[in-house]
Amino acid sequence: MSSSMHDVAERAGVSITTVSRALRQSGLVSPQTTARVLAAAQELSFSVSRTASSLATGRTGRIGVLVSGHLGAWFNGSILDGIYAHLRDSELELLIYRINDHDERERFFATLPARRNAEALIVASFALTSDEQQRLQDLSMPLVYLNQPVTGAPSVSIDDVAGARTGARHLLHLGHRRIAFVQAADQTGFVYSAARRVQGYTAELDAAGVQRSEQLILSARSVTDGEGVLAQYLSQPELPTALMVESDELALSVMAACWRVGLRTPGDVSVLGFDDHAMAETFGLSTVAQPVDVLGREAAALAVPLAAGWADPEQRSSSPEPDLPTTLTVPTRLVLRDTTGRPRRRSAGRTGSDAATSGARTS
Amino acid sequence: MSSSMHDVAERAGVSITTVSRALRQSGLVSPQTTARVLAAAQELSFSVSRTASSLATGRTGRIGVLVSGHLGAWFNGSILDGIYAHLRDSELELLIYRINDHDERERFFATLPARRNAEALIVASFALTSDEQQRLQDLSMPLVYLNQPVTGAPSVSIDDVAGARTGARHLLHLGHRRIAFVQAADQTGFVYSAARRVQGYTAELDAAGVQRSEQLILSARSVTDGEGVLAQYLSQPELPTALMVESDELALSVMAACWRVGLRTPGDVSVLGFDDHAMAETFGLSTVAQPVDVLGREAAALAVPLAAGWADPEQRSSSPEPDLPTTLTVPTRLVLRDTTGRPRRRSAGRTGSDAATSGARTS
DNA sequence: CTGTTAGCGCCTTCAA
DNA sequence: TTGAAGGCGCTAACAG
């Protein structure tokens, strides 16, 4: 049996109100009384029912996170860690909603369980239909988008375009002139990031006046389809000297496939990932690191005041710019390890390290 | 402003009670009335406040999970996925409590926020002090332990000992006679699994009458300390022909280190992991797979009825064996890929593929 | 089948 | 500094 404030009050010889105040450190209770109440609560191993206090205050003390795909996916997990770190300091709890398949999707949008059950909802890296986006807005509950091009709502994203440009640039500076980009087909959810990364790649190559073609965009059937990518790579009439891969997970798979057939990185081909997945360091994968924990932390930092302000309308006025939704962009960082280097001069698909000129081919 | 049942009742011209019943499909409301209520609710885009109904019913509709370490860790994420899959079907929500450092630990055990806030708590792979275990019991709420040797409480674990034995056995059958085991030092939380894995390794080698020594237990400073392990490996007077590694994460790190110095797997040394981490397949790591999602799912399956039964004491009687805490053990499975094979006969640290005899050493 | 009457456990006026 | 009264939004027990 969990005891209630009533029991504590009785034990401490005070009113329920006093117990409530003492337990919340409202500062309206004398030290002695407070001590007595605390002791009584201790003895009964009492703790406040959030449910009841939620009903009374209108605040649930919970933040929801809507996640796309598996919770076990590196990205999702890391995001949650960042969010948690911040929520912890705000005494808020973390409620998770996962949308992993069509079924879960239906269910979520049919019941919108988040409604009134959390004070704000962080929507992580999602490919939402406009209909779904609308439904979320209708929730009339603060939303924070993570890695999504939603206008008019607070959001946090990494700078995919700039990251990809930086990645491409370093390959260009190393002397690469034939750089392929590897995409994954079915990444549920991460479509925006993916699109922006290709975009960055394209932009940088164009800016450098380097040749580029549709043929240089390789696509994997899944994030573990390194073999498929390798096949496409080796089918190219003129072999690219570098591969920019959409994500580390896929890049690692590509690397593994290369190694399996004896292609060395960066000896035969440079491979650049994107993310800085936990395993990237282990295997020495050069990559464009995105600070996922920061992403989560910032999203939470945006959500918390909204949550508070929502229940407490007057707090809103304290913010300098009343209602401009904040849009945060966190920068990426190029991490050089062992898979990118100067292109080799000899062998397949010859390249010059200082010019874009290319002539006869090896095939 | 979110509307209440009151508004819906008014709009539909019925009592609040009827609204409540209609919305819960209690089957006590006529189809027409139900339709009217639903319509009204729709128009007001109303949805029930879980907080209020929780207070009234005494059920929060939430299951808590206490997680050790990072949410982004493969194991934790996978567990959560399994749990989520089951909860989803029970209309329960997932509340997360993470204990990642001393601070979070203190905080959790000081305030026990899960109390009265969730209907049951799943305690995942944890190294709890007995004091902490006691605190959890004090929660007086249903607990389900995952991968922990807690007696008298429902629990789900994988069979680490048997898994390790199987792993060792296959190496023995392949002809290995000098097999080292690699442990990680500071795995916060997973100490039990780790201990049981060494135990299985030890038992199997002993059963086979194969020589074994303290020296053959290598230890990494962290799960990414493949280099350190390699150093220890290469310092052995007589080189082991196989390495059984406590976890895939560490095994991958070891593999990478081997490759970096030119040691082939399994050509020069066989490497066997444990877990079946997402990356194991990518890199062809042979491993003892533990079905983590099943683990999570089973834990949830144990927790859900407890949660229900807790609030609804009479339901308990429906279970065949009233109060025997269930202890589930889920089996592991050996997954052979590219890193384990017969030991080589020539070269360093000679081995015989059919005898345990060993003579002169190479050093 | 529907409505009325009481709470669930806490917090927030308002008084003392 | 403390207490009494009322209500947060919903559900349950009991009538009709």
Side-chain angles (χ1 to χ4, degrees):
Chain A
M1 282 299 98
S2 54
S3 42
S4 71
M5 281 199 182
H6 179 82
D7 307 317
V8 180
E10 217 161 47
R11 203 168 219 289
V14 294
S15 73
I16 295 183
T17 308
T18 300
V19 173
S20 171
R21 293 203 264 244
L23 258 29
R24 274 177 299 143
Q25 302 153 331
S26 63
L28 302 176
V29 183
S30 77
Q32 308 103 68
T33 314
T34 301
R36 253 186 314 139
V37 170
L38 256 38
Q42 185 79 266
E43 287 156 26
L44 295 166
S45 66
F46 164 83
S47 64
V48 177
S49 157
R50 276 206 186 222
T51 303
S53 61
S54 291
L55 187 54
T57 59
R59 299 204 50 182
T60 61
R62 260 170 263 131
I63 296 267
V65 180
L66 182 56
V67 164
S68 142
H70 279 271
L71 266 22
W74 169 82
F75 181 86
N76 287 330
S78 308
I79 287 288
L80 291 176
D81 269 313
I83 294 174
Y84 195 92
H86 189 93
L87 293 189
R88 181 194 61 181
D89 298 328
S90 314
E91 309 264 273
L92 287 164
E93 301 193 321
L94 214 204
L95 205 47
I96 294 201
Y97 299 98
R98 176 186 86 171
I99 294 191
N100 189 32
D101 52 32
H102 183 71
D103 199 52
E104 290 187 352
R105 189 168 206 117
E106 287 264 282
R107 215 182 284 231
F108 181 85
F109 283 101
T111 65
L112 286 181
R115 165 163 220 145
R116 310 236 251 153
N117 203 28
E119 296 181 31
L121 185 66
I122 297 177
V123 183
S125 262
F126 238 96
L128 294 168
T129 66
S130 62
D131 198 52
E132 291 167 343
Q133 235 179 77
Q134 193 47 248
R135 301 265 321 202
L136 287 179
Q137 309 284 14
D138 292 347
L139 238 41
S140 74
M141 128 178 189
L143 295 173
V144 172
Y145 290 94
L146 203 149
N147 260 349
Q148 270 177 106
V150 174
T151 52
S155 66
V156 194
S157 318
I158 67 148
D159 201 335
D160 288 292
V161 176
R165 290 196 72 146
T166 304
R169 195 174 309 133
H170 113 276
L171 289 171
L172 290 164
H173 284 320
L174 283 172
H176 294 273
R177 288 298 174 275
R178 196 160 178 77
I179 305 172
F181 191 92
V182 184
Q183 286 185 134
D186 69 272
Q187 293 232 47
T188 354
F190 300 93
V191 293
Y192 301 121
S193 280
R196 286 181 301 213
R197 288 173 193 179
V198 201
Q199 193 182 321
Y201 152 84
T202 305
E204 191 63 24
L205 261 58
D206 287 349
V210 163
Q211 68 165 312
R212 187 169 64 67
S213 73
E214 277 308 308
Q215 242 195 113
L216 284 175
I217 308 278
L218 278 32
S219 49
R221 283 183 305 275
S222 74
V223 293
T224 54
D225 186 31
E227 303 283 355
V229 172
L230 181 61
Q232 288 173 56
Y233 166 75
L234 291 173
S235 308
Q236 297 277 320
E238 197 171 347
L239 236 39
T241 59
L243 255 26
M244 268 186 71
V245 190
E246 182 190 280
S247 73
D248 277 358
E249 214 176 333
L250 182 51
L252 289 165
S253 181
V254 171
M255 266 175 65
C258 285
W259 294 356
R260 230 169 278 135
V261 300
L263 281 179
R264 313 310 302 169
T265 52
D268 297 305
V269 59
S270 283
V271 176
L272 178 68
F274 206 120
D275 283 348
D276 203 20
H277 186 287
M279 282 294 146
E281 185 174 8
T282 298
F283 287 95
L285 176 67
S286 293
T287 195
V288 177
Q290 62 165 319
V292 188
D293 54 329
V294 175
L295 214 56
R297 207 174 262 117
E298 293 294 349
L302 243 43
V304 169
L306 287 175
W310 191 45
D312 244 328
E314 50 217 283
Q315 290 222 15
R316 281 190 150 289
S317 52
S318 65
S319 74
E321 299 169 43
D323 282 296
L324 282 183
T326 324
T327 298
L328 235 67
T329 303
V330 317
T332 56
R333 190 172 44 87
L334 182 63
V335 176
L336 259 29
R337 292 198 264 248
D338 318 325
T339 56
T340 55
R342 308 206 65 151
R344 16 176 7 163
R345 322 201 89 189
R346 52 191 196 81
S347 112
R350 118 183 192 295
T351 44
S353 58
D354 46 8
T357 58
S358 82
R361 15 196 268 207
T362 33
S363 90
Chain B
M1 281 305 100
S2 52
S3 41
S4 71
M5 281 197 182
H6 180 81
D7 307 318
V8 180
E10 218 161 44
R11 202 169 220 289
V14 294
S15 73
I16 295 183
T17 308
T18 300
V19 173
S20 171
R21 294 202 263 242
L23 259 28
R24 276 177 297 141
Q25 301 152 333
S26 63
L28 301 176
V29 183
S30 78
Q32 307 105 69
T33 314
T34 302
R36 252 185 315 139
V37 170
L38 255 37
Q42 184 79 265
E43 286 156 27
L44 295 166
S45 67
F46 165 83
S47 69
V48 179
S49 157
R50 278 200 181 228
T51 303
S53 69
S54 289
L55 186 54
T57 58
R59 299 205 50 183
T60 61
R62 259 169 265 131
I63 296 270
V65 181
L66 183 56
V67 165
S68 143
H70 279 269
L71 267 20
W74 169 82
F75 181 86
N76 287 331
S78 308
I79 286 288
L80 291 177
D81 269 313
I83 294 175
Y84 194 94
H86 188 92
L87 293 190
R88 182 193 61 178
D89 299 327
S90 315
E91 312 263 273
L92 286 164
E93 302 192 321
L94 217 202
L95 201 50
I96 296 207
Y97 299 97
R98 175 186 85 171
I99 295 191
N100 188 34
D101 53 31
H102 183 71
D103 198 53
E104 291 186 353
R105 193 169 201 116
E106 286 264 281
R107 213 183 287 228
F108 182 87
F109 285 103
T111 64
L112 293 179
R115 155 172 280 158
R116 308 246 249 158
N117 211 196
E119 296 182 32
L121 185 66
I122 297 176
V123 183
S125 262
F126 241 95
L128 295 167
T129 66
S130 62
D131 202 50
E132 291 167 342
Q133 235 178 78
Q134 193 46 248
R135 291 283 288 159
L136 288 181
Q137 309 283 15
D138 290 348
L139 238 38
S140 73
M141 80 194 262
L143 295 173
V144 173
Y145 290 93
L146 203 149
N147 260 351
Q148 271 177 107
V150 173
T151 52
S155 67
V156 193
S157 318
I158 67 148
D159 201 335
D160 288 291
V161 176
R165 290 195 71 146
T166 305
R169 195 174 309 134
H170 112 276
L171 290 171
L172 290 165
H173 283 319
L174 284 172
H176 294 274
R177 289 298 174 274
R178 196 161 178 76
I179 305 171
F181 191 92
V182 184
Q183 285 185 134
D186 68 271
Q187 293 233 47
T188 353
F190 301 93
V191 293
Y192 300 122
S193 280
R196 285 182 301 215
R197 289 172 193 179
V198 201
Q199 194 182 321
Y201 152 86
T202 304
E204 191 63 26
L205 261 60
D206 287 351
V210 162
Q211 69 166 311
R212 186 169 65 68
S213 74
E214 277 309 307
Q215 242 193 114
L216 284 175
I217 309 277
L218 278 32
S219 50
R221 283 182 306 274
S222 73
V223 291
T224 54
D225 186 31
E227 304 283 355
V229 172
L230 181 61
Q232 287 174 58
Y233 168 74
L234 291 172
S235 307
Q236 298 276 322
E238 196 171 347
L239 235 37
T241 58
L243 255 24
M244 268 186 72
V245 190
E246 182 190 280
S247 73
D248 278 356
E249 215 177 332
L250 182 52
L252 288 165
S253 181
V254 170
M255 265 175 65
C258 285
W259 294 356
R260 229 170 278 134
V261 300
L263 281 178
R264 314 310 303 168
T265 52
D268 296 305
V269 60
S270 283
V271 176
L272 178 67
F274 206 119
D275 282 349
D276 204 20
H277 186 287
M279 282 293 147
E281 185 174 9
T282 298
F283 288 95
L285 176 68
S286 292
T287 194
V288 177
Q290 62 165 319
V292 187
D293 54 327
V294 174
L295 214 55
R297 205 173 265 120
E298 293 294 348
L302 244 42
V304 168
L306 287 176
W310 190 47
D312 244 328
E314 51 215 282
Q315 290 220 17
R316 282 190 149 289
S317 52
S318 66
S319 74
E321 299 169 42
D323 282 295
L324 283 183
T326 325
T327 299
L328 235 66
T329 304
V330 315
T332 55
R333 190 171 46 86
L334 182 62
V335 176
L336 257 30
R337 292 198 265 248
D338 317 325
T339 55
T340 55
R342 306 206 66 149
R344 19 175 6 162
R345 323 201 87 185
R346 52 192 196 77
S347 109
R350 116 183 195 297
T351 44
S353 58
D354 47 8
T357 58
S358 81
R361 11 197 270 208
T362 32
S363 90

